Amino acid sequence: MMRSWLFSILFLFIPFSLFGQGGLDTLSLKSIFYEPLLAGNRPDFVRFSPDLKHVYYQANDSAMTDEELFRVNLKGKGMEEAPDSFDRGYSVSPNGKHLVYTDESDIWLADLNFENKRKLVKTDKREYNPSWSPNSERIAYVQDGNIWIIDIENAMLTQVTDKKEEDPGYTIIDWAGNDKLVLFQWDRSDYEEYYFPEYAGEFVQTGASRRGIARQVVSVAYLDSGKVSMMYEGKDYLSTSISANGRYLAVDRVDAPMKHREINVFDLLEPKSTKVFEDSTDGWIYGTEMEFAPAGDLLMFQSEKDGWNHIYTVKPDGSEMKQHTTGEYDIPWVEWIGGHKMVFASSEVDPGERHLYTLDLNNNRKRKLTSETGYRQSFDLSRDNGYVVYEYTYFNEPFELYLLDLKNPDSEVRLTQTIPQRFNQVNWQKEDYIRFTGRDGETQLSMSVLEPLDKQPGKDYPVVTFVHGAGSLQNVYKGWSNSYYREYMFHQFLTEKGYYVIEVDYRHSTGYGREFREDVTDWMGKYETQDIVDGINYLAANYPQADTSRVGIYGGSYGGFMALYATSVARDYFDAAAALRAVTNWENYYHTNPWYTLPRLGTPEADSANYARSSPITYVDELEQPVLILHGLIDNNVGFQDAAQYIDELIQAGDKEFEMMMYPTERHSFRDPDAWYDEYSRIYEFFNEHLKP
């Protein structure tokens, strides 16, 4: 039967007896979604202190959402609130003697401890993006989209660029020696306007937003002659690097469909350019870091050309190209720490683990620096190349900040202690981390399984399948989910209520190589569904009390898309689907987010079949199971238009069972705890209604 709008409205007033009122040894939806945050506020690395004696980070020691700035020494001791004098936007001079930073749109100079301050530039206009010359004598900065230089000793000002009013403003990439600046422009003039209406205020607002793929321009300003020369112009995705001596500029460009990549090195003295590397794929290019060595002119870059993301080097003339790492594993991060030495993270041990290594280019010898099993991410190297700060987690241990001293890497130092004591009062279940082979006999898949607490002999239990969002993301690993920490706790809550909960890192996920990610090109949903179904079959074969005849599926964004898609095309496997902020029509997403959709599906005009077969709205007639639609009304990522179009198709079909709820003041990422609580209360009740006997 069809659920009426009246049902959804009345649903607002159903009392939710969803949580016990006992101690915190029992999870509740309120403890998951309301402050104080049960898992605390995860710390975010901000910067090393200018003197490299402290690490600054953001967190909240009261487990509230609003963050404060703290600092701790490199031994993890002496945590305190950051001093008021600290400005996180500072830049240290190459000679290590001074800082430059902006404050209230003016440019300031100070000692390394933010003392002896003096204002270098004060105008009625906004100044920003200050950048030191290599000899520490001059500072370039941006004012109203033009580049200026101030000589520190004599306070002489020089205007470098004089853009026309209609032209995009300049920003500074970096100095190239003491006599050249590499500049960047980002031109959005041909963006198109789209609307995400806002209804909750006194009057309806259009919610206008301009979207598209920008034209990007890279130029070099020759300060001695005053000439500004364009090096590149186009609608590609760019990254740049400048050699230590300032002679070479490397421009790494990937075309808008992300099918082709070229690295060109410009000799700024000749001038001439050399193509030193290129790569093409039928899917989309991914993992393209690039950087010159801190001394000499050797260029490092990462590429998936052999199927996995690895480290390469090449000379500016294209000679002596070498691949330094090989194997069926990914390298998510790498940095130079010397002229022939690097530090990098790798999944060589297991896709669900990341460890740190050093690499000596002279002999390609790797040294493993970390030993504790776990997942590491978000790496930052100190400017002296001596320390790495990163986030570390293991099962049921939320991410904390850790530090590794590269000169003495015998042990990792835990810098932060931000997990509240009340978190440890919960009896968290350690999930089963599983690697299994898919139906083709070749594809290796990662899967997590949580079992119902207090299982009774001879009793079967329903299954909830969670699908992560983004598509290109890894969420099954040996640790706490940073991207889906609320869901991580919600799944533990479901086990207390008698559910199995599983998740599969389906094809499209990152961390498993190029082919694994690109299999979904031109048809999103097909292989992801196969992998999730293979996970359900694995559960049925290995967990006797899992009742795979009663399976619910849910997720948000790409996960919401997958919940609707999989339930429509694999009707024998799914009995109820909850879709949060779901893409239902990929054509809509192409217009507002072409950077994402173009590489995966092409264009709606030329590749309409790809869009049709990938969109859940195409399969409404095949849908037989009940669905729950949840969407923020002012979502400006996946617009509410997707929910509206899908609901209209359900209504027109006349025989579909569905519920829906809109959230008038929420965008794609909800902010209000009341909205989070309401949303997951509905998901829980929905699964209880359709999966429990």
Side-chain angles (χ1 to χ4, degrees):
M1 75 178 179
M2 185 171 127
R3 296 292 172 93
S4 69
W5 286 85
L6 179 60
F7 180 91
S8 292
I9 294 170
L10 290 174
F11 197 69
L12 271 172
F13 302 102
I14 296 175
F16 297 118
S17 49
L18 301 176
F19 50 93
Q21 297 298 323
L24 277 174
D25 57 328
T26 301
L27 272 177
S28 71
L29 291 182
K30 281 198 169 181
S31 67
I32 291 171
F33 296 110
Y34 284 97
E35 295 182 349
L37 304 174
L38 183 55
N41 191 311
R42 297 298 84 235
D44 295 310
F45 172 77
V46 174
R47 297 204 67 173
F48 286 93
S49 63
D51 59 9
L52 299 178
K53 293 181 179 179
H54 292 87
V55 165
Y56 286 84
Y57 66 93
Q58 286 188 168
N60 191 312
D61 59 357
S62 300
M64 299 298 182
T65 301
D66 291 339
E67 294 184 332
E68 302 170 29
L69 190 63
F70 297 90
R71 74 175 183 182
V72 64
N73 67 33
L74 303 190
K75 300 294 185 182
K77 307 294 184 181
M79 187 274 286
E80 60 183 355
E81 290 190 21
D84 293 338
S85 61
F86 177 76
D87 188 293
R88 68 185 67 193
Y90 72 83
S91 176
V92 179
S93 60
N95 63 14
K97 295 182 178 180
H98 294 98
L99 304 175
V100 66
Y101 61 97
T102 58
D103 185 16
E104 295 183 352
S105 298
D106 295 323
I107 296 179
W108 292 75
L109 189 72
D111 295 340
L112 293 187
N113 56 6
F114 288 93
E115 294 181 352
N116 297 318
K117 299 189 298 182
R118 63 185 174 106
K119 191 176 294 187
L120 291 180
V121 181
K122 175 178 173 55
T123 70
D124 293 335
K125 299 178 181 179
R126 177 174 173 252
E127 288 86 30
Y128 56 96
N129 193 199
S131 178
W132 287 99
S133 63
N135 61 12
S136 302
E137 294 178 359
R138 294 189 289 179
I139 296 170
Y141 63 94
V142 183
Q143 181 190 86
D144 279 357
N146 275 309
I147 308 301
W148 292 72
I149 292 175
I150 183 169
D151 189 302
I152 297 173
E153 293 302 319
N154 58 30
M156 183 176 73
L157 279 173
T158 304
Q159 184 171 352
V160 177
T161 62
D162 187 16
K163 77 176 190 69
K164 297 178 181 178
E165 184 176 351
E166 65 272 15
D167 288 344
Y170 287 96
T171 57
I172 301 166
I173 294 176
D174 208 346
W175 291 76
N178 293 302
D179 57 354
K180 298 180 291 294
L181 281 169
V182 181
L183 309 176
F184 178 75
Q185 292 168 282
W186 183 276
D187 181 8
R188 304 179 181 88
S189 60
D190 64 349
Y191 276 24
E192 295 185 10
E193 196 164 54
Y194 299 93
Y195 300 94
F196 304 92
E198 302 176 11
Y199 295 90
E202 183 178 0
F203 300 103
V204 176
Q205 304 294 320
T206 63
S209 177
R210 294 182 60 81
R211 304 291 176 89
I213 296 175
R215 180 179 70 95
Q216 301 183 68
V217 181
V218 176
S219 303
V220 174
Y222 293 85
L223 304 182
D224 293 340
S225 66
K227 181 181 178 183
V228 178
S229 298
M230 183 186 297
M231 298 288 113
Y232 168 82
E233 176 186 21
K235 288 192 171 186
D236 293 334
Y237 299 104
L238 301 181
S239 62
T240 61
S241 184
I242 302 166
S243 63
N245 61 9
R247 177 169 181 173
Y248 298 106
L249 166 66
V251 177
D252 190 351
R253 62 186 186 88
V254 177
D255 65 359
M258 298 185 182
K259 309 295 184 188
H260 186 72
R261 176 191 186 190
E262 285 187 12
I263 300 177
N264 289 277
V265 176
F266 294 85
D267 186 331
L268 302 182
L269 298 184
E270 294 290 336
K272 64 178 182 179
S273 67
T274 302
K275 180 166 55 178
V276 300
F277 178 77
E278 65 178 331
D279 183 23
S280 295
T281 181
D282 292 332
W284 64 95
I285 301 287
Y286 182 85
T288 59
E289 295 302 313
M290 177 193 68
E291 185 181 14
F292 275 107
D297 57 11
L298 193 60
L299 180 67
M300 178 277 295
F301 63 92
Q302 290 180 260
S303 172
E304 289 184 319
K305 192 163 188 174
D306 77 345
W308 296 83
N309 202 306
H310 283 296
I311 299 171
Y312 297 74
T313 58
V314 67
K315 301 290 284 185
D317 62 1
S319 66
E320 300 182 34
M321 182 179 293
K322 297 177 183 178
Q323 181 174 351
H324 296 279
T325 58
T326 58
E328 294 187 353
Y329 59 90
D330 269 345
I331 294 177
W333 174 79
V334 59
E335 292 275 4
W336 291 95
I337 54 174
H340 288 85
K341 197 170 183 180
M342 299 176 186
V343 60
F344 68 94
S346 166
S347 63
E348 185 173 0
V349 172
D350 183 274
E353 288 186 46
R354 286 181 180 175
H355 289 275
L356 283 164
Y357 300 75
T358 54
L359 173 67
D360 188 332
L361 299 188
N362 293 317
N363 52 26
N364 278 349
R365 184 173 297 165
K366 296 183 297 185
R367 180 188 176 193
K368 189 167 179 280
L369 304 180
T370 53
S371 58
E372 291 294 322
T373 301
Y375 192 79
R376 297 164 177 86
Q377 67 177 21
S378 303
F379 306 92
D380 286 277
L381 182 67
S382 62
R383 75 172 193 280
D384 69 345
N385 301 329
Y387 305 95
V388 180
V389 170
Y390 49 91
E391 298 172 355
Y392 168 83
T393 181
Y394 189 58
F395 294 112
N396 298 329
E397 298 174 11
F399 280 93
E400 293 278 20
L401 293 182
Y402 279 69
L403 176 141
L404 193 66
D405 182 345
L406 297 179
K407 299 180 293 296
N408 183 28
D410 293 335
S411 62
E412 299 173 88
V413 177
R414 180 171 172 175
L415 296 176
T416 58
Q417 307 282 341
T418 61
I419 301 171
Q421 182 57 39
R422 63 199 297 266
F423 176 87
N424 298 316
Q425 296 174 12
V426 177
N427 184 24
W428 300 100
Q429 180 186 166
K430 181 177 177 293
E431 66 197 63
D432 293 340
Y433 171 83
I434 297 162
R435 292 282 289 165
F436 72 98
T437 305
R439 67 184 67 182
D440 61 7
E442 297 179 358
T443 303
Q444 296 296 303
L445 297 164
S446 293
M447 174 180 177
S448 67
V449 178
L450 287 166
E451 298 192 69
L453 298 182
D454 302 322
K455 295 194 304 293
Q456 302 301 312
K459 184 176 179 181
D460 294 336
Y461 296 88
V463 179
V464 169
T465 300
F466 173 66
V467 188
H468 72 67
S472 297
L473 180 136
Q474 182 181 9
N475 200 51
V476 176
Y477 49 77
K478 299 178 182 180
W480 176 270
S481 175
N482 219 27
S483 299
Y484 295 97
Y485 62 91
R486 295 180 182 90
E487 290 80 353
Y488 193 104
M489 294 186 285
F490 177 62
H491 298 161
Q492 300 264 348
F493 169 82
L494 289 177
T495 66
E496 291 186 357
K497 306 303 180 182
Y499 287 93
Y500 279 86
V501 182
I502 69 169
E503 179 180 3
V504 177
D505 262 355
Y506 48 79
R507 272 171 285 182
H508 198 167
S509 300
T510 55
Y512 306 97
R514 171 178 278 185
E515 182 179 354
F516 188 93
R517 191 186 69 256
E518 291 185 344
D519 269 352
V520 307
T521 307
D522 297 338
W523 193 342
M524 294 195 296
K526 176 183 177 181
Y527 291 108
E528 299 96 315
T529 299
Q530 289 182 12
D531 295 343
I532 294 168
V533 167
D534 287 351
I536 293 171
N537 288 334
Y538 181 94
L539 185 76
N542 293 277
Y543 292 80
Q545 291 182 261
D547 185 356
T548 53
S549 70
R550 294 182 288 153
V551 178
I553 183 172
Y554 92 99
S557 195
Y558 199 93
F561 146 69
M562 278 305 307
L564 297 177
Y565 183 99
T567 304
S568 300
V569 304
R571 298 182 297 278
D572 293 340
Y573 285 90
F574 301 102
D575 301 281
L580 296 66
R581 50 196 176 275
V583 176
T584 68
N585 184 346
W586 283 109
E587 285 196 31
N588 297 337
Y589 205 70
Y590 170 80
H591 292 295
T592 56
N593 296 275
W595 58 272
Y596 184 93
T597 322
L598 176 61
R600 292 162 171 81
L601 297 178
T603 67
E605 296 80 13
D607 307 289
S608 58
N610 296 347
Y611 281 81
R613 65 188 180 184
S614 299
S615 296
I617 201 166
T618 302
Y619 303 96
V620 167
D621 287 343
E622 299 178 33
L623 183 68
E624 296 178 354
Q625 314 298 2
V627 295
L628 170 64
I629 310 297
L630 303 154
H631 213 116
L633 193 58
I634 59 172
D635 189 333
N636 57 0
N637 181 4
V638 180
F640 187 76
Q641 178 184 20
D642 277 64
Q645 289 177 348
Y646 193 78
I647 292 165
D648 188 56
E649 290 293 324
L650 293 172
I651 293 170
Q652 296 304 316
D655 62 348
K656 307 303 176 185
E657 185 176 357
F658 71 93
E659 302 169 17
M660 73 82 56
M661 176 52 65
M662 68 181 74
Y663 296 88
T665 59
E666 295 294 342
R667 297 199 184 277
H668 197 63
S669 297
F670 283 18
R671 294 184 177 275
D672 183 2
D674 291 323
W676 279 106
Y677 176 75
D678 181 89
E679 184 176 48
Y680 277 79
S681 298
R682 294 177 187 279
I683 295 169
Y684 174 65
E685 290 288 357
F686 178 74
F687 285 147
N688 276 351
E689 178 182 356
H690 296 290
L691 302 180
K692 289 289 184 75

